[in-house]
Each structure stands twice: as structure tokens, then as C-alpha cells.
Amino acid sequence: AQSVTQPDIHITVSEGASLELRCNYSYGATPYLFWYVQSPGQGLQLLLKYFSGDTLVQGIKGFEAEFKRSQSSFNLRKPSVHWSDAAEYFCAVGAAETGANNLFFGTGTRLTVIP
Amino acid sequence: DVKVTQSSRYLVKRTGEKVFLECVQDMDHENMFWYRQDPGLGLRLIYFSYDVKMKEKGDIPEGYSVSREKKERFSLILESASTNQTSMYLCASSPPLESYGYTFGSGTRLTVV
């Protein structure tokens, strides 16, 4: 069965500092991987996705993520965090081989940005 | 601008009431989903639908039902609301298999008192 682990519940960074949010997945075949962001009181917005090909994926708002099959990881990075990046971030894995396109979400990482 | 619209942002209901949460998408997507979001638990899938009049149970369907009479509308029904159903409910839609690209609504925060 698919599963997603986000080991960090809460991360605090200073504005301008770099950011890395961790995501590990469990899935037998090549997964489809996603990062979503949720601002307070809002729904989820897609930041980026990985289906195949280049393992370094660029997304919106200056975010990128790298798929590492050997580590079963898909960590999200940003070189310089802005105050507006404060939000909750969710990693998700999809499994087309099952015949469904359901996504399985991690429990989220809440990002606080301090001035 | 394509969107998924959830009819209510905030809702307060009494224990035992029948509650309807409505979701409408304007993207002609086949797939629609209902999740609930709770602190520390992330998003958990309640029900999903791949077509009109079709529904499948997700991970936590107990206490819920759904209705999809039209392609654009997917309703979540709490037959008899209970306090443990107080939560944020998120609706999403997506195009067919291998496209994913979930689009989420803004959510409905339901409080059952």
C-alpha cells in the first residue's frame, strides 16, 4: 500500500534563509509525486509534480523538488524563503497502476517564517 | 479561471442533523473527491467518484454518504451529524487517469455542536 511520511510537523526559518521540507514515500513501482501548499483557511494549491523524466522538478513560487528513488524521497526546496511562504505543505503520492488516480497525502509540515 | 466551489465556508450544525456539503466544478472533470482534514492527521479520503451516479468508499466512509447525479456536482452527506465529524472538509476534482492535477475547493469548516 502507498504511504507518505513527512517527518517534520513544524519548521521555523528566517526570511531569506533556505528551506528543505522532507518527504518519504512507500510504493512498489514508480510513483507519481506531488507537493501542495495550503495557506490559512484555504484549499490546497499544487506547487509541483513528478511523473517521469528529469528527477529535479521546478514548480511555482520558486520551489523545486528532487526525486531520489534510492532514498524513496521527494524533498521540497527553496533557496530563499519569503514571509508569504508561511503555510502548510503536503506531499502526496499517486498510483496509476492500481487503476485509480487517488492521491495519498502526508500529514503535512507547517512552515513559520520569522522576519 | 477554472474552479471548484464549495457552497459554504463555515457551517455550524447540531448533533443528529442531516448535513449536506455541496461541491461544484466547472472543468468537466470525471473524477471528484471528498477529503476531511484534521490537525496531525493530514487529509483522509472519505469518498470519491469517477463518473455520474458512481461512488467508491475511501479510507474513512463511516457516517458519510455521497451523491453524484450530475457530472459537475458531488455532494457529501452526513446522515446524522456527530461531534467527531467536526472538521475541515475539502472537495477536489481531477481529469482522468494519468493526468491527476487535482484542483481543490477552499474547504468547508464544519462544527457540530
Side-chain angles (χ1 to χ4, degrees), chain B residues 5-21:
Chain B
T5 302
Q6 294 184 233
S7 54
S8 304
R9 290 297 304 274
Y10 300 94
L11 213 52
V12 180
K13 296 292 182 180
R14 295 192 180 278
T15 301
E17 276 193 78
K18 189 169 186 176
V19 181
F20 292 85
L21 302 184

Side-chain angles (χ1 to χ4, degrees), chain B residues 35-91:
Chain B
Y35 288 87
R36 66 175 282 176
Q37 181 182 13
D38 300 287
L41 298 177
L43 277 72
R44 293 179 292 167
L45 182 63
I46 305 172
Y47 266 96
F48 59 98
S49 169
Y50 292 150
D51 201 352
V52 175
K53 296 189 184 296
M54 175 274 179
K55 60 185 178 184
E56 291 285 347
K57 293 180 179 179
D59 299 320
I60 52 163
E62 295 78 18
Y64 303 95
S65 63
V66 290
S67 172
R68 193 164 181 200
E69 296 295 319
K70 294 184 178 181
K71 189 176 185 179
E72 67 271 20
R73 185 181 297 271
F74 192 37
S75 303
L76 180 69
I77 304 159
L78 286 67
E79 297 290 343
S80 178
S82 65
T83 55
N84 63 13
Q85 292 178 308
T86 291
S87 185
M88 170 71 91
Y89 289 87
L90 292 168
C91 176

Side-chain angles (χ1 to χ4, degrees), chain A residues 15-108:
Chain A
E15 190 168 15
S18 64
L19 171 71
E20 182 169 29
L21 302 182
R22 295 183 291 167
C23 172
N24 293 97
Y25 67 89
S26 173
Y27 183 59
T30 299
Y32 295 177
L33 295 161
F34 306 79
W35 275 100
Y36 284 84
V37 61
Q38 184 182 34
S39 298
Q42 300 298 314
L44 276 68
Q45 180 185 19
L46 180 66
L47 282 177
L48 48 78
K49 59 187 176 184
Y50 171 79
F51 283 5
S52 64
D54 193 345
T55 56
L56 185 62
V57 181
Q58 302 297 321
I60 63 172
K61 305 185 179 187
F63 285 92
E64 66 178 26
E66 186 171 12
F67 170 57
K68 292 186 177 180
R69 183 188 300 276
S70 61
Q71 299 177 19
S72 296
S73 69
F74 188 58
N75 294 349
L76 182 71
R77 301 193 294 248
K78 187 169 185 177
S80 178
V81 171
H82 188 262
W83 64 265
S84 61
D85 293 325
E88 188 147 22
Y89 292 80
F90 291 91
C91 182
V93 62
E97 288 83 354
T98 63
N101 69 341
N102 297 348
L103 290 186
F104 298 86
F105 288 84
T107 52

